[in-house]
């Protein structure tokens, strides 16, 4: 601290021959609006928030209005900002009923208005909350041995013609990540989330009579055993009230019908 009557030399800019603002001691301000708009889009678009309740991905920054500035005072950085943002996101849930009748994949808009003053190095975006009603769910584990090599069994779940043979109904089978799935006259629907040929399939999967917008995660793991294959099924997020019917669906409509299909193929070869 300077003595009484003596000013800090950094304050006396007018007495400096070069009038230099040493170490940004005096108040300086820079407009950061343009940079902030680009940074907000870079940080937010594509941001994915995942948890036990489900998955939410920000798909677009539809509207950006506001301003931001970067200031310096006595060597400290001070940020001022005020933004009106409108975002779009895609989501699906596990164990949650969303308060909407929108179809799967529909984009929902949300408006967020952050504003304030802070002294810090950076501003981090906050995650979006998913609002819904929690429902009780269970996990189903099943195992089944098929008289088929893993490659053939895998194709039965990923080839439209084979699916239609064992289900005895027209089907939509887009066996690629994000591809749609629809079987049994629409009683079962979803999409393929992961495919590892002859080894693993992961599905977003639901029955038509489940709560709207609610999906389970189904993992099918194929364990090759020479001429046979053990299929290990894990179905997470099944509504408690639908546990028995879901087990029966996989046992009767999938496993037993696939056994019949494989036996018919074997008989034709003989």
């Amino acid at each position: 601290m300077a003595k009484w009557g003596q000013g800090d030399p950094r304050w006396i800019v007018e007495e400096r021959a070069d009038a230099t603002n040493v170490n940004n001691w005096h108040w300086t301000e820079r407009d950061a609006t343009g940079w902030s708009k680009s940074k907000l889009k870079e940080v937010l678009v594509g941001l994915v928030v995942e948890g036990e309740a489900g998955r939410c991905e920000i798909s677009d920054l539809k509207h950006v209005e506001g301003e931001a500035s970067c200031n310096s005072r006595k060597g400290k950085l001070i940020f001022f900002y005020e933004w009106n943002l409108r975002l779009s996101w895609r989501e699906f849930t596990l164990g949650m009923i969303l308060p909407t009748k929108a179809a799967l994949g529909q984009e929902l808009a949300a408006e967020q208005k952050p504003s304030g003053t802070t002294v810090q190095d950076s501003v981090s975006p906050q995650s979006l909350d998913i609002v819904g009603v929690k429902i009780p769910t269970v996990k189903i584990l099943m195992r089944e041995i098929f008289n088929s090599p893993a490659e053939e069994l895998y194709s039965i779940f990923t080839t439209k013609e084979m699916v239609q043979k064992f289900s005895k109904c027209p089907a939509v089978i887009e066996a690629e990540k994000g591809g749609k799935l629809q079987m049994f006259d629409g009683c079962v629907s979803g999409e393929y989330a992961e495919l590892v040929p002859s080894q693993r399939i992961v599905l977003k999967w639901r029955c038509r009579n489940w709560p709207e917008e609610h999906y389970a995660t189904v993992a099918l793991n194929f364990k090759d055993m020479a001429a046979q294959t053990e299929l290990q099924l894990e179905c997470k997020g099944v509504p408690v009230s639908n546990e028995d019917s879901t087990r029966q669906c996989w046992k009767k409509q999938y496993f037993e019908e696939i056994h019949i299909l494989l036996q018919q193929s074997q008989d034709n070869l003989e």
Side-chain angles (χ1 to χ4, degrees), residues 65 117 134 203 237 249 264:
E65 181 181 7
T117 304
K134 192 73 174 178
L203 306 168
C249 175
Q264 290 174 344

Side-chain angles (χ1 to χ4, degrees), residues 47 49 112 124-129:
L47 178 67
V49 179
Q112 186 181 40
S124 300
Q126 300 298 316
S127 61
L128 299 174
D129 291 331

Side-chain angles (χ1 to χ4, degrees), residues 65-77:
E65 181 181 7
E67 60 182 357
S69 63
C70 177
N71 306 274
S72 179
R73 176 72 167 86
K74 296 184 179 181
K76 293 182 179 180
L77 292 178

Side-chain angles (χ1 to χ4, degrees), residues 92-98 100 135-140 186-190 203-218 233-250 254:
F92 76 90
T93 64
L94 296 176
M96 187 80 73
I97 305 174
L98 293 180
T100 175
I135 63 174
T137 62
V138 295
K139 178 169 67 174
I140 294 175
C187 290
V188 167
S189 61
L203 306 168
K204 280 174 52 183
W205 188 93
R206 62 174 271 109
C207 292
R208 184 163 54 193
N209 63 342
W210 286 8
E212 189 173 1
E213 300 295 336
H214 179 81
Y215 287 79
T217 297
V218 173
L233 177 145
E234 180 185 81
C235 190
K236 295 191 298 185
V238 177
V240 169
S241 59
N242 299 103
E243 179 181 3
D244 290 340
S245 61
T246 301
R247 283 185 180 275
Q248 289 302 309
C249 175
W250 281 99
Y254 280 90

Side-chain angles (χ1 to χ4, degrees), residues 22 52 73 78 81 90 92 95 122 149 151 161 169 177 184 190 192 201 209 216 236 259 264-265:
V22 180
E52 293 183 357
R73 176 72 167 86
I78 305 171
Y81 60 91
R90 295 185 291 266
F92 76 90
S122 62
E151 182 180 2
E161 292 75 12
C169 293
K177 186 174 182 179
F184 308 116
Y192 291 88
I201 299 173
N209 63 342
K236 295 191 298 185
H259 278 301
Q264 290 174 344
S265 298

Side-chain angles (χ1 to χ4, degrees), residues 113-127:
K113 298 181 178 180
S115 63
T117 304
T118 182
V119 180
Q120 58 183 34
D121 293 331
S122 62
V123 178
S124 300
Q126 300 298 316
S127 61

Side-chain angles (χ1 to χ4, degrees), residues 8-13 16 18-28 72-75:
D8 190 304
R10 290 173 294 185
W11 280 97
I12 312 174
V13 177
R16 292 181 58 94
D18 55 4
T20 300
N21 182 7
V22 180
N23 295 324
N24 288 327
W25 185 253
H26 300 279
W27 182 274
T28 59
S72 179
R73 176 72 167 86
K74 296 184 179 181

